[in-house]
Amino acid sequence: MNTGPIKDLGRTFDLVADAYDAARPGYPDEVYRALSELSGVELDGATTVDVGAGTGIMTHALRARGSHVIAVDPGEAMLARLVSKAGRPNGTRVSALLADGNALPLADEVADLVTYAQSWHWLDPVASIAEARRVLRPKGAIVGCWNLNHAAQADWLAAYEARLAEEVPAYWGPAVEQWSVPPIAAAFEVIEERWIPWTRLIGIDDFLLDLRSHSYMAALSAERADEVVERQRVALRAEFPEGVLSVPMRVYLAVGR
Ligand SMILES: C[S@@+](CC[C@H](N)C(=O)[O-])C[C@H]1O[C@@H](n2cnc3c(N)ncnc32)[C@H](O)[C@@H]1O
């Protein structure tokens, strides 16, 4: 199989797959409750296509709740980490497809849910939704969610984001005035949206490993990324000498039909 174009799509995150796997947070339980409530789809027994599944954060959480998941991602290194964790909780099935979410290698009407956890903004906004609609059964739903630092809730976090905006050319986040959540809501006539706040307790070292897993950091040279991380480490250590952060987070959840 010629995986050239697929490799190109998956390159960014494959560069930081280890950091991603080690340090990115999961989604709080409330996200799965709300997702089921807003979509009207019972997760237990549902078939879900998880597009941009990456290392499997949402894939495995859905499986733990009884869903059969088809994970789709063009990143070989990301998908390899997903597969390495693919035991069989509760007898659920997982298939991992190295593929482009804009052209799903799936038959029509095979799924109850299509999820984009932190991923829809990497796809074509029109082709991706057309594909999701094609593979969904008539009562199925499309779900987008993003796990975000809630910088407005803590001065130290706002300062951290501001330093990134200053130092990292490709940075895109709450410290940029024009920043907003990806416009997935615009793709639907019927859309339910919810913001779900939560708090992440994490050591500074792991928080900075998470930083390294962002695409804007992957765009830097290794030396420059080290400098950015070290500057953040010094600032965070000065403010939190005990080395633990309580990070205000919020998940933006959008469910459309
Ligand atoms: C920020 S990660 C999200 C991973 C995971 N869903 C999570 O919640 O952590 C974005 C993922 O989208 C994938 N991606 C990028 N372009 C894609 C495309 N055209 N089709 C499907 N996935 C894509 C990347 O390879 C990456 O694994």
Side-chain angles (χ1 to χ4, degrees):
M1 182 172 66
N2 175 8
T3 58
I6 292 290
K7 271 201 176 114
D8 288 346
L9 285 173
R11 186 161 289 145
T12 300
F13 284 98
D14 277 355
L15 292 171
V16 289
D18 282 330
Y20 203 109
D21 200 23
R24 281 287 183 116
Y27 304 95
D29 283 350
E30 181 54 26
V31 167
Y32 300 97
R33 274 195 292 274
L35 184 164
S36 184
E37 178 198 322
L38 299 179
S39 66
V41 175
E42 179 68 46
L43 296 182
D44 194 358
T47 296
T48 303
V49 180
D50 189 22
V51 180
T55 59
I57 293 176
M58 176 152 282
T59 300
H60 294 308
L62 289 170
R63 293 181 68 216
R65 289 163 176 80
S67 192
H68 307 297
V69 186
I70 302 165
V72 177
D73 201 289
E76 270 184 294
M78 296 290 274
L79 214 51
R81 281 152 186 83
L82 180 150
V83 170
S84 74
K85 293 188 268 283
R88 288 191 148 226
N90 311 326
T92 60
R93 295 183 298 274
V94 64
S95 319
L97 304 177
L98 188 70
D100 178 359
N102 298 313
L104 292 169
L106 295 169
D108 297 355
E109 300 191 13
V110 291
D112 304 296
L113 288 171
V114 172
T115 51
Y116 301 97
Q118 214 96 345
S119 62
W120 178 75
H121 58 293
W122 287 99
L123 284 90
D124 181 279
V126 175
S128 63
I129 299 293
E131 277 295 82
R133 288 197 163 114
R134 182 181 66 74
V135 303
L136 277 175
R137 298 185 177 121
K139 290 198 170 158
I142 299 175
V143 177
C145 68
W146 283 267
N147 217 349
L148 307 160
N149 286 346
H150 198 177
Q153 293 286 305
D155 289 347
W156 72 265
L157 190 55
Y160 161 87
E161 298 281 345
R163 285 189 295 274
L164 292 178
E166 238 173 62
E167 296 198 354
V168 182
Y171 168 85
W172 181 242
V176 174
E177 210 177 313
Q178 311 88 312
W179 177 84
S180 67
V181 291
I184 193 168
F188 302 98
E189 280 159 31
V190 180
I191 183 94
E192 304 261 17
E193 295 174 282
R194 199 165 281 183
W195 287 92
I196 297 163
W198 67 287
T199 303
R200 186 183 192 197
L201 278 181
I202 185 170
I204 288 175
D205 289 345
D206 285 338
F207 185 69
L208 294 174
L209 190 56
D210 179 330
L211 169 61
R212 286 184 185 273
S213 76
H214 285 263
S215 56
Y216 52 76
M217 293 295 288
L220 298 175
S221 69
E223 296 73 30
R224 188 65 195 123
D226 286 348
E227 284 169 13
V228 168
V229 167
E230 281 322 304
R231 184 176 172 219
Q232 292 286 11
R233 194 186 311 279
V234 168
L236 293 172
R237 284 258 169 220
E239 199 151 3
F240 301 100
E242 70 290 1
V244 178
L245 305 172
S246 173
V247 187
M249 307 278 300
R250 55 182 179 157
V251 174
Y252 168 65
L253 173 69
V255 176
R257 288 175 191 282

